[in-house]
Amino acid sequence: MRRSILLAAALTTTLALAACSSGESGDETTTEPEDTASSTGALTVWVDETRQDAVTAAATSFEEETGTSVEVVLKNFEDIRADFLAQVPTGEGPDITVGAHDWLGEMTTNGVVAPLELGDKASEFETVSLEAFTQDGQVYGLPYAIENIALIRNTQLAAEAPATWDDAVAAGQAAGTKFPILVQSDNDKGDPYTHYPFQTSFGAPVFTQNEDGSYSSELAMGGPEGQAYATWLGEQGAAGVLSQDTTYDIAVEAFKNGESPFIVGGPWMIESFEGMDLSIDPIPAAGDQPAQPFVGVQGFYLSAESENAIVANDFLVNFLSTEEAQLALYQAGNRPPALTAAADSASSSDPIVAGFRAVGAEAVPMPSIPEMASVWSFWGVTEAAIVSGADPVATWDKMIADIEGAIGS
């Protein structure tokens, strides 16, 4: 009861922000927060098949403790984003939906999500997971899982983790394998997500970051730092270490067959390497700064049009933020939990999870700002062209100009 009283008081601001974010005043009578909390009949939560059982278990506990019913609606994950954007402005849609943090820019631009009030609970999450869902000082998502790439090492072929890119290449050559190190691409489309850690090691992040971990719209991968990274790409392509023809499938198959001591990849690859002795290590820097991969965070959004915002926030903060719930979500999706206690538990029993978690703690959220859409269309093709022999500096500088033009248009 004390929790509910405190939560109702704390969330008065949330309801006001949710109303403002809709952009409409409407003709309906505004319901007072205390009436909403007492008269609520149900919550609706959208989930995909992977998260269904874990969320249903948390919903059952919520129903038993609060008397509020929760309808868990199964959706195809690929449909959730578009359906949420379409239905919330009409007053339809769920109170809560599962989603990815990189949807945030589009969600806030369209006014379909409301900020959460996490209170003291915020300190119990991995810092990077909250940074990913932060915009303008507000947290818009309840994180539950973190994913990122790292260096996956075959310990039978390389006894130690390489400190630098040059060390990795030298170790691969000493092992006598076909590939010194495997970094996937996608033919002429490139793969800037997988290559990003090497770019950051040259001090060329895609956008500048604010103190709270969110991103500004200031493009930061131009100038001498970006040119140095582009030059390195060209050198690695000329040496045959990087190739745009090394697709995901080729890279995974080669590593599985012992054709390289190292592959840059994520936890989604691990199932393919069953029976191998593996270590998960930091990605070696090619430049003079740390190599920081992108972090992707999965979480739950609160609808800006929810008539039960207080109750929905209660469900998120007090029932989907428990160690039990976050471990259930981890076991379903096999990604390190966002809640620190759950991450500690998962890591203690699985060195692979512990390895990815350690790398993720030093990583950066993938930008979710709308301007990012203007980056993807130029970024990968430019990297692939440079690896294939295009002039590094001229090609990179043209990409920067094209992105800046697209952002400004």
Side-chain angles (χ1 to χ4, degrees):
M1 179 63 71
R2 180 174 179 272
R3 186 195 76 231
S4 298
I5 292 171
L6 292 174
L7 187 63
L11 285 176
T12 301
T13 302
T14 298
L15 287 176
L17 287 167
C20 292
S21 67
S22 69
E24 298 178 355
S25 58
D27 297 323
E28 297 180 0
T29 302
T30 302
T31 304
E32 294 298 325
E34 57 268 27
D35 294 337
T36 301
S38 63
S39 63
T40 182
L43 292 177
T44 300
V45 183
W46 282 0
V47 298
D48 63 331
E49 185 176 10
T50 302
R51 264 64 61 157
Q52 184 180 22
D53 289 345
V55 174
T56 298
T60 299
S61 297
F62 184 71
E63 290 175 336
E64 292 173 351
E65 183 167 331
T66 68
T68 300
S69 62
V70 181
E71 181 185 9
V72 179
V73 178
L74 180 62
K75 301 271 291 182
N76 291 323
F77 189 81
E78 57 268 24
D79 297 332
I80 288 177
R81 183 177 187 173
D83 288 354
F84 191 79
L85 286 164
Q87 292 187 30
V88 169
T90 69
E92 302 295 330
D95 299 280
I96 295 167
T97 186
V98 70
H101 91 269
D102 58 350
W103 301 358
L104 180 58
E106 187 176 18
M107 294 291 193
T108 55
T109 297
N110 286 276
V112 297
V113 290
L116 301 178
E117 288 290 341
L118 300 182
D120 293 340
K121 198 74 178 181
S123 64
E124 299 180 25
F125 285 90
E126 303 280 84
T127 300
V128 72
S129 71
L130 292 182
E131 289 179 347
F133 278 109
T134 296
Q135 184 171 300
D136 298 327
Q138 298 282 349
V139 178
Y140 282 88
L142 190 285
Y144 70 82
I146 300 170
E147 67 179 15
N148 53 270
I149 58 176
L151 185 72
I152 304 172
R153 173 167 56 96
N154 181 339
T155 61
Q156 299 297 308
L157 296 176
E160 298 180 352
T164 67
W165 171 265
D166 289 343
D167 289 342
V169 173
Q173 291 171 340
T177 53
K178 180 178 179 180
F179 302 94
I181 182 172
L182 289 159
V183 184
Q184 73 188 56
S185 188
D186 187 12
N187 298 309
D188 59 358
K189 296 178 183 177
D191 189 339
Y193 173 86
T194 304
H195 287 74
Y196 190 62
F198 306 115
Q199 181 175 321
T200 60
S201 76
F202 285 91
V206 58
F207 290 105
T208 58
Q209 267 187 288
N210 302 313
E211 290 186 4
D212 62 4
S214 62
Y215 286 89
S216 77
S217 58
E218 181 184 354
L219 198 66
M221 57 182 183
E225 295 81 8
Q227 292 172 349
Y229 167 63
T231 299
W232 174 83
L233 282 176
E235 291 170 349
Q236 300 309 307
V241 180
L242 293 179
S243 171
Q244 80 280 6
D245 297 328
T246 305
T247 63
Y248 177 90
D249 290 341
I250 289 173
V252 167
E253 188 69 17
F255 186 78
K256 182 175 68 175
N257 293 334
E259 295 179 0
S260 179
F262 312 108
I263 185 171
V264 177
W268 48 86
M269 289 182 176
I270 297 301
E271 187 176 351
S272 298
F273 307 144
E274 186 175 355
M276 299 176 68
D277 292 327
L278 303 176
S279 177
I280 308 302
D281 304 317
I283 296 172
D288 59 3
Q289 298 186 31
Q292 292 182 291
F294 279 137
V295 162
V297 183
Q298 296 287 329
F300 296 92
Y301 288 104
L302 171 63
S303 168
E305 295 295 334
S306 172
E307 296 179 357
N308 304 307
I310 289 176
V311 181
N313 201 109
D314 187 11
F315 176 60
L316 290 172
V317 173
N318 294 300
F319 291 83
L320 283 177
S321 297
T322 66
E323 184 175 350
E324 180 183 8
Q326 294 253 327
L327 282 173
L329 289 161
Y330 152 69
Q331 289 161 1
N334 199 30
R335 301 292 186 270
L339 189 74
T340 301
D344 288 342
S345 179
S347 299
S348 67
S349 59
D350 190 334
I352 299 297
V353 172
F356 279 111
R357 180 194 181 193
V359 174
E362 303 300 323
V364 291
M366 183 186 296
S368 60
I369 56 177
E371 290 82 1
M372 193 65 187
S374 298
V375 176
W376 291 119
S377 57
F378 298 104
W379 197 7
V381 295
T382 297
E383 291 185 339
I386 292 171
V387 169
S388 298
D391 179 85
V393 172
T395 305
W396 191 261
D397 286 349
K398 181 179 186 304
M399 177 197 73
I400 296 298
D402 288 341
I403 293 172
E404 289 175 338
I407 291 173
S409 62

